[in-house]
Amino acid sequence: MAGVQEASAPSLSKLRKVIKEAFSYFDKIGNNTVQQDEVGTIMRYLGQFPSESDLKDIIIPELLDEDPSRDGLVTFEAFEKVMLRDLMDRVYDPDDSETLLAAFRVLDPEGKGYIDSNLMHEHLSTRGGKAADGFREREMSEFLEYAKDKESADSSKIYYEDYVAKLTADIEKHLEHLYQDARGSGGGPRGGM
């Protein structure tokens, strides 16, 4: 049993270091706190992708319960505790490419292989029927810029197989670089996605 603990200790220390570095990017005045609205950005940078309603209804209240005297600021200690748990339990890990493709195919019942960007805008602005989970305007324009086919004469189409391949490769590369086996999974952050 001691060997298992020793093997995971460096992994945990690396994970803590990565969380601290990410948190520090947003800790503007160096007092170990960040604004609530930055928590989702930090979590996504660290490879966890909660919905906006999960952030608002579950995560932020839990973080603020840890230290209610902080006037709505989130402390590093509270954030680290939640992030370590969520990373270890893979609570908000990104969906795999097959799940993403299945979701896109629902929006493409004719099987054309693409989705019109205006239709995508409509779906993403009220994700899941809840405006709270919808993309903000800046997120929407960044998504469309990333997702549209830049080589096509008609840039109003999102070829979702290409998009999913590009997205999963970029996320995998980012997480691999960020963690460099800090989770101790042996196959990268997703265990070989």
Side-chain angles (χ1 to χ4, degrees):
M1 189 70 167
V4 171
Q5 289 175 334
E6 287 173 338
S8 65
S11 175
L12 183 60
S13 108
K14 285 180 186 176
L15 198 52
R16 284 191 152 127
K17 182 180 181 222
V18 168
I19 293 169
K20 179 64 175 167
E21 286 174 2
F23 190 90
S24 295
Y25 293 140
F26 294 88
D27 181 7
K28 306 280 192 267
I29 56 177
N31 65 349
N32 279 332
T33 63
V34 295
Q35 299 290 324
Q36 294 174 38
D37 62 352
E38 294 169 329
V39 169
T41 303
I42 302 168
M43 288 183 76
R44 289 178 188 102
Y45 175 79
L46 292 168
Q48 296 294 285
F49 298 87
S51 68
E52 289 300 316
S53 53
D54 278 358
L55 278 166
K56 184 177 151 249
D57 300 337
I58 300 168
I59 298 166
I60 301 294
E62 180 180 357
L63 292 171
L64 295 177
D65 280 351
E66 293 289 321
D67 189 358
S69 67
R70 287 294 195 162
D71 295 327
L73 294 173
V74 174
T75 65
F76 172 71
E77 293 74 24
F79 182 79
E80 180 188 49
K81 179 180 167 187
V82 168
M83 275 309 299
L84 283 171
R85 181 197 66 214
D86 289 353
L87 284 165
M88 295 298 191
D89 294 345
R90 302 182 185 283
V91 176
Y92 298 108
D93 272 7
D95 289 327
D96 62 53
S97 60
E98 287 307 312
T99 302
L100 294 172
L101 286 171
F104 277 107
R105 288 182 184 121
V106 167
L107 301 175
D108 180 24
E110 293 140 25
K112 297 178 287 190
Y114 66 86
I115 297 170
D116 181 76
S117 62
N118 293 323
L119 177 65
M120 199 67 201
H121 186 286
E122 183 182 316
H123 283 290
L124 292 176
S125 59
T126 57
R127 204 165 79 196
K130 296 186 224 171
D133 280 343
F135 279 30
R136 295 181 199 112
E137 207 46 52
R138 190 184 97 233
E139 294 168 329
M140 185 70 72
S141 77
E142 288 173 359
F143 163 76
L144 292 172
E145 178 67 25
Y146 181 86
K148 286 181 185 175
D149 183 11
K150 292 174 185 40
E151 296 174 14
S152 169
D154 182 2
S155 65
S156 68
K157 296 177 180 168
I158 297 168
Y159 291 91
Y160 52 84
E161 288 185 6
D162 294 342
Y163 166 71
V164 168
K166 178 181 170 185
L167 178 67
T168 53
D170 286 353
I171 288 173
E172 197 170 308
K173 189 166 103 179
H174 167 72
L175 295 179
E176 193 125 340
H177 178 266
L178 184 65
Y179 290 110
Q180 297 175 352
D181 295 324
R183 288 189 187 178
S185 64
R190 295 253 325 155
M193 188 159 62

